[in-house]
Amino acid sequence: MANNEDKFKKIIAHAKEYGFVFQSSEIYDGLAAAYDYGQYGVELKNNIKNYWWKSMVQFHENIVGLDAAIFMHPTTWKASGHVDAFNDPMIDNKDSKKRYRADVLVEDHIAKIEAKNDKDVEKAAKRFGDAFDEAQFRSTNQRILDREKEIEDIKSRLYSAMDENRLDDIKNLIEDLEIACPISGSRNWTDVRQFNLMFSTEMGSTAEGASKIYLRPETAQGIFVNYLNIQKTGRMKIPFGIAQIGKAFRNEIVARQFIFRMREFEQMEMQFFVKPGEELKWFDYWKNERMKWHLNMGIPQSEYRFHEHEKLAHYANAAFDIEFNFPMGFKELEGIHSRTDFDLNAHQQYSGKKIQYFDPEINESYVPYVVETSIGLDRTFLAVLSYAYNEEQLEDGSERVVMRIPPFLAPIKAAVLPLVKKDGLPEKAMEIFDSLKNDYMCFYEEKDSIGKRYRRQDAIGTPYCITVDHQTLEDNSVTIRERDRMQQERVGIEKINEIINNRLKH
Ligand code: ATP
């Protein structure tokens, strides 16, 4: 494949052509950063959700679920800090009229310096061969050390300016680093301004006195404000968790890169409540568990990496991201955060209600600490698509696009295809379809040549095609074709379910 940008474009085009993801309101030329999941997209998305729900809620006796409303009392967002601090610094280029996140411009600049170091390391590795010691090289090579120092200086200027809301200093930094707009190439920047990412709307009619409410920018707060309800009614003992899947909304300044950064998206979050002082132990536990969850999909370890936050949010005492090797490079897919007692304390303060846990083991009450795992459903979807998309050259010289979606996540598990549209084959195929549809999503199709139909199933990632031919009518056998190796086997109809079920294990 030519390059990653090319691959990304192909994945986006493929996702549209095969009914995975459409631009929202496309007939009106689309709405920026909003997407609709089509007939196969919704299946894949539901399968990812089920996989998460099962492994978090069903597999843990001490984790329960929740489905909180998107609208919440506005004070929630005051308490959580979102009203005052859920801001991104933005800056516009006066020539291209493009808007950027000011911190991202600086971070991209840092990434370029880091790339220079990586290149030097790569060159040295080639030169020295097996004897090369990367750690030693990085800690002794003067050019690398100079660049490291430069990076440290930039970071310290950026993060202190952000922490103290010194917007002029962020602009000065951009000017000092001579950062140019990637579109216009000019350095003609506006001032940096803060931009709150929450969407707001009005609740109630104006006659009654409408009040301003927000569309939740994260699902976590629905969990915090229900902490007491669930702890009491579920008789939960610490440590325990509450899990939720739901929509979140952020008015992102720069929303691009397909479903990676949207203004309406879905999160799968779990808050794990623990005894104060035990949070770092549980943080480690969840960090490892979550990585196992990703690897258990069958996507190789090399596609994932941990990234430790250098700049912790004011409420966190540890934070790691799990990054995935998306077509545009390694980027955040999931965050694991140790959030201390910040949120529960804040809700206690703003609501005036006591939010505490009486721990019978130590005969004391306390505000629990929280370890959070927060993963984007849409980003997981994109990770699966990016990994699955493969263009293959076949032995007969033809090409195929095959989506190697992990079979248990595949939208359709089996396509039932009568070889021809006559002689009673469609009826027999329908009988097989009916016998399988109870267990998993099946697909029936009788149009076009069998080769074309196989290709279409490859393109949506169906692990098995079952072909009904004249022999089926004689001896109740079918051919079953496997997606990845394209091998065909003749088997009795009664064997189909076992073969497919074996492949769906993970
Ligand atoms: P980023 O730094 O990419 O903006 P974030 O650190 O703000 O992300 P969190 O607030 O930790 O993200 O949200 C948890 C998860 O929700 C992220 O890891 C990501 O998978 C997902 N997510 C966040 N913002 C978006 C978005 N605009 N579109 C799609 N998914 C998102």
Side-chain angles (χ1 to χ4, degrees):
M1 228 164 274
N3 60 38
N4 286 341
E5 203 173 307
D6 233 41
K7 181 179 174 189
F8 198 18
K9 280 193 189 139
K10 284 183 177 170
I11 291 169
I12 297 170
H14 189 88
K16 179 179 172 192
E17 186 178 347
Y18 287 94
F20 284 93
V21 182
F22 307 121
Q23 172 82 61
S24 159
S25 338
E26 196 187 333
I27 58 167
Y28 293 107
D29 294 333
L31 179 70
Y35 289 90
D36 299 340
Y37 287 83
Q39 64 275 30
Y40 299 123
V42 66
E43 296 297 336
L44 173 56
K45 206 174 168 195
N46 282 341
N47 293 342
I48 297 172
K49 276 194 222 180
N50 285 339
Y51 172 45
W52 187 85
W53 194 261
K54 219 171 163 178
S55 62
M56 299 305 266
V57 180
Q58 192 174 325
F59 287 6
H60 290 93
E61 85 294 348
N62 59 350
I63 300 183
V64 293
L66 171 73
D67 185 17
I70 287 172
F71 292 144
M72 299 182 70
H73 192 285
T75 310
T76 310
W77 306 109
K78 191 79 193 148
S80 67
H82 284 81
V83 171
D84 297 318
F86 194 50
N87 299 320
D88 277 341
M90 64 176 185
I91 190 166
D92 293 3
N93 183 269
K94 290 184 195 160
D95 299 313
S96 66
K97 308 268 183 276
K98 286 276 168 202
R99 177 160 292 173
Y100 298 91
R101 254 173 70 177
D103 56 327
V104 171
L105 280 182
V106 177
E107 277 165 2
D108 285 350
H109 182 84
I110 292 174
K112 279 190 195 145
I113 306 176
E114 279 169 347
K116 281 187 196 157
N117 276 354
D118 291 344
K119 219 174 210 149
D120 281 359
V121 170
E122 222 175 89
K123 271 197 227 147
K126 267 200 199 126
R127 207 167 51 231
F128 293 114
D130 286 345
F132 183 62
D133 179 341
E134 180 176 335
Q136 193 192 359
F137 182 76
R138 280 189 185 270
S139 62
T140 52
N141 181 284
Q142 196 52 47
R143 259 205 313 216
I144 291 199
L145 291 175
D146 289 347
R147 289 198 200 105
E148 292 282 348
K149 167 91 179 49
E150 190 187 346
I151 291 172
E152 278 318 303
D153 290 346
I154 298 173
K155 279 186 180 167
S156 109
R157 275 182 73 183
L158 174 68
Y159 296 145
S160 64
M162 298 239 311
D163 280 346
E164 290 156 29
N165 206 17
R166 285 184 273 109
L167 302 182
D168 285 352
D169 286 349
I170 302 178
K171 181 169 182 193
N172 292 340
L173 181 60
I174 289 172
E175 283 175 342
D176 291 351
L177 296 174
E178 302 188 347
I179 296 175
C181 166
I183 308 281
S184 68
S186 90
R187 298 188 206 128
N188 194 6
W189 297 110
T190 61
D191 285 342
V192 176
R193 277 168 297 155
Q194 285 290 22
F195 181 77
N196 192 289
L197 300 184
M198 281 199 294
F199 282 101
S200 64
T201 185
E202 308 259 292
M203 184 173 254
S205 69
T206 31
E208 293 167 17
S211 61
K212 180 173 172 178
I213 54 162
Y214 298 99
L215 274 70
R216 66 179 177 201
E218 61 174 30
T219 54
Q221 298 304 326
I223 293 180
F224 291 127
V225 301
N226 276 294
Y227 164 82
L228 280 180
N229 285 337
I230 289 191
Q231 193 273 321
K232 293 223 163 91
T233 59
R235 298 155 58 86
M236 307 303 291
K237 287 206 180 58
I238 272 182
F240 75 90
I242 304 177
Q244 173 165 228
I245 300 177
K247 291 265 180 161
F249 304 83
R250 295 183 188 178
N251 199 1
E252 299 278 3
I253 295 173
V254 187
R256 49 170 187 226
Q257 296 173 325
F258 192 42
I259 54 173
F260 181 82
R261 189 175 299 286
M262 299 193 286
R263 298 204 167 101
E264 172 181 344
F265 59 99
E266 219 160 334
Q267 291 185 313
M268 306 191 282
E269 295 197 299
M270 193 275 300
Q271 316 288 327
F272 200 68
F273 300 93
V274 305
K275 191 169 158 185
E278 292 193 350
E279 70 276 11
L280 293 180
K281 176 183 96 185
W282 285 109
F283 177 77
D284 271 346
Y285 172 83
W286 282 111
K287 203 180 120 200
N288 291 327
E289 282 298 297
R290 293 305 304 148
M291 184 57 103
K292 275 196 230 156
W293 182 87
H294 289 278
L295 298 179
N296 194 31
M297 279 196 261
I299 300 180
Q301 171 109 55
S302 55
E303 301 299 300
Y304 296 93
R305 72 181 187 196
F306 280 118
H307 167 79
E308 185 172 6
H309 282 215
E310 288 174 40
K311 179 179 173 280
L312 289 175
H314 55 288
Y315 51 75
N317 66 2
F320 267 81
D321 292 338
I322 294 177
E323 295 186 336
F324 182 78
N325 190 11
F326 288 102
M328 61 280 188
F330 274 97
K331 299 253 182 232
E332 174 178 344
L333 170 60
E334 169 157 14
I336 297 121
H337 311 126
S338 173
R339 289 178 80 126
T340 68
D341 57 356
F342 172 83
D343 302 87
L344 289 184
N345 250 333
H347 288 304
Q348 187 167 247
Q349 205 184 331
Y350 277 83
S351 68
K353 309 252 161 41
K354 205 163 136 194
I355 307 182
Q356 292 204 337
Y357 175 76
F358 175 73
D359 192 332
E361 277 174 26
I362 52 170
N363 236 358
E364 254 177 52
S365 290
Y366 52 76
V367 178
Y369 270 43
V370 172
V371 174
E372 159 184 90
T373 71
S374 173
I375 175 171
L377 174 54
D378 313 87
R379 284 193 192 174
T380 312
F381 186 103
L382 181 59
V384 172
L385 277 198
S386 321
Y387 163 74
Y389 184 88
N390 274 281
E391 289 174 2
E392 284 182 359
Q393 202 79 39
L394 303 182
E395 275 168 16
D396 64 3
S398 63
E399 263 188 26
R400 72 163 181 164
V401 171
V402 56
M403 294 296 270
R404 292 180 188 273
I405 299 175
F408 77 103
L409 296 177
I412 305 288
K413 312 299 186 207
V416 188
L417 316 167
L419 187 63
V420 289
K421 215 162 82 181
K422 55 182 185 190
D423 305 335
L425 298 189
E427 290 76 8
K428 186 73 188 169
M430 224 32 219
E431 237 176 66
I432 297 175
F433 176 91
D434 283 337
S435 73
L436 298 178
K437 72 180 181 195
N438 218 3
D439 294 324
Y440 30 75
M441 280 298 292
C442 296
F443 180 84
Y444 174 86
E445 192 176 47
E446 51 187 33
K447 210 170 140 260
D448 286 338
S449 76
I450 196 74
K452 273 195 187 151
R453 282 181 273 167
Y454 285 160
R455 287 288 174 278
R456 272 205 295 272
Q457 293 307 312
D458 289 343
I460 61 167
T462 305
Y464 287 105
C465 287
I466 294 153
T467 308
V468 173
D469 56 18
H470 290 93
Q471 196 183 326
T472 311
L473 301 181
E474 286 162 24
D475 64 5
N476 253 352
S477 71
V478 291
T479 53
I480 181 158
R481 173 188 180 271
E482 193 271 336
R483 176 192 75 193
D484 296 346
R485 279 165 295 149
M486 294 184 288
Q487 270 168 359
Q488 300 193 25
E489 213 188 323
R490 187 122 211 142
V491 301
I493 289 176
E494 73 290 349
K495 281 261 184 295
I496 299 174
N497 221 339
E498 189 188 324
I499 295 173
I500 297 179
N501 274 321
N502 269 337
R503 187 87 199 282
L504 297 183
K505 292 188 185 131
H506 58 95

